[in-house]
Amino acid sequence: MWYWLFKYILLGPLLAAIGRPKVEGLENIPDSGAAILASNHLAVMDSFYLPLVVRRRITFLAKSEYFTGTGVKGRFLAWFYTAVGQVPIDRTNADAAQDALDTAARIIGEGKLLGMYPEGTRSPDGRLYKGKTGLARLALQTGAPVVPVAMIGTDVVNPPGKRGLRPGRVQVKIGKPMDFSRFEGMAGNRFIERAVIDEVMYELMRLSGQEYVDLYAADVKKAALEAADGTGGGKAATSSARIPDTAAG
C-alpha cells in the first residue's frame, strides 16, 4: 500500500514536478511475469524516477547500509526504503554476494520486476562503467528477460554529494527485452557470463549515450579515495579482486 501512496500521492507528484520525466519504450516492459530491469546508475533518484514512470511495481536490491541506521532517523529510513520497494543486501564479501543473488532469484521466482544496477554502484563521473556478472548469472539461472534501461539527467536533479533536489529534466529510455536463452545451462561459466553482461552494457551505452570505461566503478572510487588520503591507491583502478562481482547498486 505504501508503495502506491508514495508513487501517486506522497512523493511522485513532487518528483514529477522537479524532474519532468519523459519516458521512451515503455511498451518494452512486459505487462506481467518476471523481468530484470538493468539500468545505468547516476544518482540515488534512479530508484525513484524509474518506478515513477513504470506502471508495475519494481523491487530494487539496495545496499544494507540504507537499512541499518540508528535512532529515529535510521528507523525511519529503513521503513521508507522498504515501503518504496527496496530490499537490503550485504555487498561485503563473496558469501554476501551469493546471498544477494539468492534474494534476487526469489524475487524473480515470484514473477516480479527486479531492478538492478550492473555497474554495482553509482558512476563517479557520469560515464558508464564495466558491468559485474551477477546480473548475467541471475538471467541465465532464471531465464528471465533482461530489459535495458537508460536513466538520463537524474544526476542533474540529484547531484551526487549534494543535498536536496534541483529542477531538471529526467529521461528514461527503455530498450527491447534481451533474451539469453541461447546460453541455457551455462550459468557459472565466467566467459559466457562476461559475454552476457558485456552485451547488456553495450545496450546501456547505446541507449544512454554515455562514454564507456572498461573498469569497475567501485575500483575507480576506491582509487580516488586512497589517492586523496595519500595511501597510494593507484593499483585499485585496475584490480577488482576484492570487490564482490554482484550487480546491486
Side-chain angles (χ1 to χ4, degrees):
M1 178 185 72
W2 282 109
Y3 181 95
W4 304 110
L5 284 175
F6 275 116
K7 178 173 179 174
Y8 291 115
I9 298 174
L10 301 178
L11 187 58
L14 175 62
L15 293 179
I18 294 173
R20 298 176 295 138
K22 175 183 178 183
V23 60
E24 299 177 17
L26 194 58
E27 69 278 3
N28 291 322
I29 294 181
D31 293 330
S32 62
I36 301 169
L37 306 186
S39 175
N40 63 332
H41 200 13
L42 297 174
V44 171
M45 282 294 114
D46 293 329
S47 298
F48 293 85
Y49 275 102
L50 181 55
L52 187 62
V53 301
V54 173
R55 288 185 290 271
R56 293 180 61 190
R57 176 169 179 158
I58 304 172
T59 300
F60 284 93
L61 301 183
K63 59 185 180 181
S64 58
E65 291 90 333
Y66 289 161
F67 300 82
T68 56
T70 58
V72 175
K73 180 180 179 181
R75 290 193 295 273
F76 171 78
L77 289 176
W79 169 81
F80 173 75
Y81 282 115
T82 300
V84 296
Q86 303 203 22
V87 175
I89 60 163
D90 185 355
R91 307 183 301 173
T92 55
N93 54 51
D95 289 339
Q98 185 57 52
D99 289 343
L101 289 176
D102 291 343
T103 299
R106 174 181 57 79
I107 294 168
I108 289 294
E110 293 170 355
K112 297 178 179 179
L113 292 181
L114 176 68
M116 298 184 75
Y117 299 113
E119 292 169 276
T121 186
R122 282 170 285 167
S123 171
D125 53 18
R127 296 184 292 177
L128 183 69
Y129 281 82
K130 186 175 182 178
K132 296 189 174 184
T133 56
L135 185 148
R137 192 173 313 143
L138 180 65
L140 295 176
Q141 287 176 349
T142 64
V146 177
V147 181
V149 178
M151 304 299 296
I152 302 170
T154 49
D155 54 340
V156 175
V157 171
N158 176 211
K162 304 290 185 181
R163 292 189 175 185
L165 302 179
R166 301 178 181 185
R169 186 64 184 267
V170 172
Q171 295 184 61
V172 183
K173 295 185 178 181
I174 304 170
K176 294 185 179 299
M178 305 175 72
D179 178 10
F180 295 106
S181 60
R182 64 189 186 277
F183 298 125
E184 184 178 358
M186 296 185 183
N189 183 314
R190 69 180 188 275
F191 299 107
I192 296 298
E193 290 176 353
R194 174 49 56 192
V196 168
I197 197 60
D198 285 349
E199 191 173 331
V200 172
M201 300 312 293
Y202 178 82
E203 281 301 302
L204 290 181
M205 179 184 69
R206 187 183 64 81
L207 286 169
S208 68
Q210 291 171 279
E211 177 186 348
Y212 178 76
V213 181
D214 195 29
L215 296 170
Y216 291 113
D219 288 351
V220 173
K221 288 182 176 181
K222 183 176 181 180
L225 286 172
E226 291 180 343
D229 291 341
T231 56
K235 294 180 181 178
T238 56
S239 170
S240 60
R242 295 182 295 277
I243 304 298
D245 202 12
T246 64

